[in-house]
Amino acid sequence: MTALTLSTAGAATLRADALVVGVAKSPKGGKGPVVAPGAEAVDSAFGGKLGAVLESLGATGAEGEVTKLPAPAGLKVPVVLAVGLGSAPEKGESFDPDALRRAAGSAARALSGSKKAGFALPVEDASDVTAIAEGALLGAYAFTAYQGGEKTGKGKNDNGGAKLPLGEIAVLGAKPRDKAHKAAAERAQVVATEVNIARDLINTPPNDLNPESFAAVATAAGKENGIKVQVLDEKALAKGGYGGILGVGKGSEAPPRLVKLAYTHPKATKTLAFVGKGITYDSGGISLKPAGHNETMKCDMSGAAAVFSAVVSAAKLGLEVNITGWLALAENMPSGSATRPGDVLRMYSGKTVEVLNTDAEGRLVLADALTRASEEKPDAIVDVATLTGAMVMALGNRTFGIMANDDAFRTSIHEIAEEVGEASWPMPLPADLRKGMDSPTADIANMGERMGGGLVAGLFLQEFVGEGITWAHVDIAGPAFHEGAPYGYTPKGGTGSAVRTLVRLAERTAAGDLG
Ligand code: BES
Ligand code: MN
Ligand code: ZN
């Protein structure tokens, strides 16, 4: 795991493999890129000509741009890496922390294979320390567990040519003795580590990560972090009447699980419930997905991974709030024992659901978990799920949708997501879409109108939330799994979407900032 320090050394004295500096596009009317604050000592070592050197190398300061140059004498590093920050702020304004987060991520990725780098980016306050540390730690991620195991007698670290992530990040310009800066770095270390653990879970192939092994991971993490973990296996689920989770899991050789993670703080006055969709593989079931739509469906447990990592983060940070995490785990497979389109399931709530499409399985496992979570009367419930392709159509691959039964709560989650640098957008729950789910046989069908499919799914879930409980639904089907080239601190594969939003929500609730 990548180490993080707040360096007491300045850029001129730090010994490392590289120094990272920021370069921004010059403000309107200005010429050439401008070197960002934090890089003064590096600029001096270049005789005050770093900006000119960068310009002659073609650097513009555009976001994500990375320029490597040999360090001049006077610095204790061989390489200087200039990373683009986008537009320079107006006079008197500061760099956007999220631009710093993304730039630190780009730099950390460009430095994979290196042991240590100093980050000399602009630091004005603790939120900049958080952004730089988080971005660098999230950029320094690689999933290599399944590479380099070939029995050829090659070295242990031969991971098929992929480089190991940057080993150590030293943040310059932060003050190690400043309480706020220190706390920001410690928090960033916890949160980034947990986001990276969520990514690992998502990236783990579905022949290794199934409901049982995911539950075992949660049990072990619970022991380590003082979180009470209860696992309902298929027998307990049958005894409890969890028809939704069982109905989805029936087709698989790997039976389903419902995991409860209870983190409590003795001084807590509020309790949050986080519910995660944990389909360890979504083949579609009998309504089988065609080729081209199932290759990445190991990612269908990203909601459960986010919930798991958020609860562990809260425990590690010792937040003054109670959080119950619910992981609704099942594998959606076709087989002779699988649920058929046309089957009716009796859910944990007692409601019956006609399954018209076995590929609309997420809402079935979530429904049971939402009803169960509601029994404990939390102050609010947030579910996180890779629920619908329709949400990806609506918002694209980088933005998650938020629906809620409470406008103020939906707005809060949207604002919190923005604060931590996760793209999101509020979505409605139009009541007229409910009738599309009317079933001639059961209380409700698991499918409705195709248009607005993401909202239809939200309306379905709403029916399983306990009376009077504030609830929000976060559909991360777009951003959970990144198939394109890496950018900023976002790698290929699992992204850990929604972990940072959930952690911040927990912090804000602990601080009494919310209702
Ligand atoms: N897991 C999928 C949704 C999904 C799609 C996640 C793309 C990530 C990327 C979900 O279970 C699903 O199959 N939803 C169906 C619902 C439909 C049958 C009503 C969909 O969106 O097509
Ligand atoms: Mn599905
Ligand atoms: Zn699914």
Side-chain angles (χ1 to χ4, degrees):
M1 203 187 61
T2 305
L4 175 75
T5 52
L6 297 186
S7 177
T8 41
T13 55
L14 183 81
R15 279 178 202 281
D17 299 306
L19 271 172
V20 175
V21 300
V23 55
K25 293 204 305 212
S26 63
K28 272 198 192 85
K31 250 185 70 214
V34 292
V35 176
E40 292 79 6
V42 178
D43 192 19
S44 301
F46 276 94
K49 297 205 163 59
L50 179 55
V53 171
L54 283 169
E55 186 176 13
S56 67
L57 288 171
T60 64
E63 191 178 315
E65 176 188 87
V66 162
T67 312
K68 276 186 186 174
L69 50 169
L75 296 179
K76 303 271 189 293
V77 296
V79 169
V80 169
L81 185 148
V83 63
L85 292 167
S87 303
E90 304 281 329
K91 250 202 155 57
E93 308 231 321
S94 323
F95 279 93
D96 169 20
D98 205 48
L100 295 177
R101 191 185 278 107
R102 291 191 296 261
S106 296
R109 279 192 299 105
L111 290 167
S112 64
S114 304
K115 284 208 180 76
K116 178 175 179 177
F119 283 66
L121 293 170
V123 174
E124 280 186 14
D125 56 28
S127 70
D128 300 329
V129 178
T130 297
I132 294 165
E134 261 182 24
L137 288 166
L138 292 173
Y141 172 81
F143 184 68
T144 54
Y146 289 80
Q147 292 169 326
E150 207 183 351
K151 290 186 184 115
T152 56
K154 284 192 214 151
K156 241 188 167 175
N157 275 343
D158 172 21
N159 53 1
K163 288 179 187 162
L164 292 172
L166 173 62
E168 186 181 339
I169 291 155
V171 180
L172 309 185
K175 304 183 198 88
R177 267 179 234 100
D178 179 316
K179 265 196 184 153
H181 287 196
K182 224 181 121 205
E186 283 167 7
R187 179 190 178 281
Q189 176 82 272
V190 168
V191 175
T193 300
E194 290 309 315
V195 172
N196 286 340
I197 287 172
R199 291 169 170 182
D200 280 346
L201 286 166
I202 297 162
N203 291 330
T204 301
N207 54 336
D208 279 344
L209 192 87
N210 59 32
E212 190 181 359
S213 61
F214 195 159
V217 169
T219 303
K223 275 211 183 90
E224 212 167 288
N225 296 289
I227 300 163
K228 228 179 111 197
V229 181
Q230 274 175 300
V231 179
L232 299 190
D233 63 12
E234 69 273 29
K235 279 196 199 116
L237 290 168
K239 209 167 155 219
Y242 292 86
I245 297 174
L246 285 168
V248 173
K250 259 171 76 180
S252 171
E253 302 264 342
R257 297 283 185 269
L258 177 63
V259 178
K260 176 185 181 186
L261 297 142
Y263 164 68
T264 54
H265 189 284
K267 288 199 209 141
T269 58
K270 297 268 187 212
T271 299
L272 292 172
F274 295 160
V275 176
K277 170 177 173 180
I279 301 299
T280 57
Y281 183 69
D282 182 11
S283 72
I286 297 292
S287 315
L288 194 63
K289 286 182 189 292
H293 291 264
N294 54 22
E295 293 80 356
T296 60
M297 277 302 138
K298 65 176 181 181
C299 81
D300 215 19
M301 35 57 70
S302 296
V307 165
F308 166 69
S309 285
V311 176
V312 174
S313 298
K316 284 187 172 168
L317 295 169
L319 302 184
E320 266 182 46
V321 57
N322 300 326
I323 306 181
T324 311
W326 301 90
L327 317 181
L329 307 176
E331 187 182 45
N332 189 22
M333 293 292 272
S335 76
S337 63
T339 291
R340 294 156 283 253
D343 281 357
V344 171
L345 304 176
R346 184 170 292 279
M347 309 293 279
Y348 181 70
S349 75
K351 239 194 229 314
T352 54
V353 177
E354 182 177 15
V355 178
L356 292 180
N357 190 321
T358 61
D359 199 11
E361 83 299 339
R363 63 198 74 183
L364 298 172
V365 299
L366 286 171
D368 278 357
L370 285 168
T371 308
R372 179 64 191 88
S374 299
E375 282 178 357
E376 306 197 348
K377 302 264 176 273
D379 293 289
I381 302 179
V382 180
D383 78 69
V384 184
T386 47
L387 204 59
T388 64
M391 197 53 57
V392 192
M393 288 285 195
L395 297 177
N397 282 317
R398 296 188 182 183
T399 303
F400 59 71
I402 310 164
M403 284 144 268
N405 61 4
D406 178 305
D407 289 353
F409 192 51
R410 187 190 56 225
T411 302
S412 294
I413 299 208
H414 175 51
E415 286 170 359
I416 286 167
E418 189 158 280
E419 184 188 339
V420 299
E422 294 203 284
S424 74
W425 204 253
M427 300 296 273
L429 290 171
D432 66 282
L433 289 174
R434 169 62 180 82
K435 64 179 179 307
M437 291 185 285
D438 284 351
S439 159
T441 317
D443 296 326
I444 189 169
N446 78 329
M447 235 184 85
E449 286 177 40
R450 198 166 77 85
M451 297 299 165
L455 321 179
V456 171
L459 282 166
F460 181 94
L461 296 180
Q462 183 169 23
E463 304 227 349
F464 295 87
V465 176
E467 198 65 33
I469 298 178
T470 304
W471 157 80
H473 160 56
V474 176
D475 190 339
I476 59 170
F481 198 83
H482 179 56
E483 293 184 62
Y487 63 93
Y489 53 80
T490 305
K492 237 181 172 13
T495 62
S497 176
V499 174
R500 288 182 285 140
T501 296
L502 291 179
V503 173
R504 192 77 193 108
L505 171 65
E507 288 174 331
R508 295 268 296 259
T509 306
D513 287 1
L514 290 165

